Structures are given as C-alpha cells and as structure tokens.
Amino acid sequence: VVLPLAGKSAAAQFPGAGAGLGVGVGVGAGSGKGYGVGGAASASGADAPDATEPTLRILVVDDNHDAADSTAMLLEMLGYQVRTAYDGVSGVQAAAEFLPQVALLDIGMPDMNGYEAAQAIRHLPGGDRMRLVAVTGWGQPEDRVKSAEAGFDRHLVKPVHPPDLLALLEEWARAS
C-alpha cells in the first residue's frame, strides 16, 4: 500500500502471516530516499532526510492512545519532531515544555477537553503563535464555530485524510 503525502509517500507491506510488517517513507518526488519506522535508512542505504528541509515541532494530543501514537509515528517518519500526550492537562503541560509550532488536539477528551486545552495553550507564553488544529469526530457547522471560538486555527474531522494534514503542515512549515 502506498499513500502519496504532499510530495512525500508512505508505504506499508503486508507480506503475510508471521512475516511482519514493513513500513517506509519516501521524501520528495522521485528522490529515491526511503526511511523505515523511526527514521532509520531503508535497506537501500538511503541517506537521512535533508536537514535543510523545513521541519515543525508537532504536539499530538488524543486520549485514544492508538490514534495519537499512529499519528505521531507517521509524522516522525516524515521528518517532523513530535511529542504525544493522552489528555488535555498533559497536552497543555507538553505544549509549555516542548513549545510546538503545531498542536493537533482531539476535542472529546475527559477531564480537560480539547476546547479547554486550546484556550489554556493560547494563554501560555508563545501560545498565541502556535497553530492549533482540532482533530475530532465532530464535524457539524456548530462544532467548527465552537473550535474557532476556542482558538483553533483549523478543524479536521476524523478520520483525517493524511494528504490533507500533510499539505497543511507543509504550508505552515514553508511559512515559518
């Protein structure tokens, strides 16, 4: 399976029972650079991602550990610096310590929901410069209005289409 991701691609191989899973990422159209999970060079001996490419610090906050971890893994494979948190309170704390340029926040979290976390992040030193993205299953017009009122820059509905997210991140990376 190969997913084109805004000038990059991710591939997964499912060779069969007991054979394991292969995951790789290609950077740039026809670049020939391939990366395995965790950013290691592929079996072809490809180089590491070009250090001159703009990268972002991204915080992923979701109480669904699988969703947070898989999103973080994909972003790391594509060269982004990523941290995860699994609840709103930890997300705000991570934002204060990690100082991400982008935070992807689930809305429907217990204790401190994504709206509250976004408002708290906006009040942190530098929080006004962070790009906040609501990543949620709630996609009605009133949900989008509520996200904007809470301080989110964008509202994406789950399941998020990876090329859409990557295009947004690359746009923001070029602007930073």
Side-chain angles (χ1 to χ4, degrees):
V1 175
V2 176
L3 297 172
L5 301 169
K8 301 176 183 181
S9 64
Q13 296 175 342
F14 304 93
L21 165 68
V23 179
V25 176
V27 180
S31 71
K33 296 179 183 176
Y35 305 95
V37 175
S42 70
S44 67
D47 298 325
D50 184 351
T52 62
E53 287 186 26
T55 187
L56 294 173
R57 289 182 313 279
I58 302 172
L59 174 63
V60 178
V61 184
D62 197 321
D63 61 321
N64 178 326
H65 290 229
D66 290 337
D69 293 343
S70 61
T71 299
M73 184 188 319
L74 173 65
L75 295 172
E76 287 171 341
M77 287 174 21
L78 294 171
Y80 295 103
Q81 298 173 35
V82 183
R83 298 291 182 276
T84 55
Y86 304 110
D87 61 72
V89 174
S90 298
V92 173
Q93 182 178 12
E97 295 168 2
F98 180 52
L99 302 174
Q101 293 150 302
V102 177
L104 307 176
L105 303 169
D106 181 33
I107 298 296
M109 296 183 287
D111 300 323
M112 176 183 274
N113 66 38
Y115 300 125
E116 296 163 334
Q119 291 170 336
I121 289 170
R122 287 290 186 217
H123 287 97
L124 294 173
D128 58 330
R129 293 186 306 275
M130 290 181 202
R131 304 283 185 135
L132 303 183
V133 181
V135 180
T136 179
W138 304 341
Q140 297 302 313
E142 58 270 14
D143 300 320
R144 294 174 185 278
V145 169
K146 196 169 179 180
S147 290
E149 290 172 349
F152 284 99
D153 297 293
R154 297 287 172 90
H155 184 109
L156 301 177
V157 178
K158 292 179 183 178
V160 174
H161 190 230
D164 294 342
L165 175 60
L166 276 257
L168 176 63
L169 295 175
E170 287 183 5
E171 173 188 327
W172 286 345
R174 284 190 304 272
S176 63

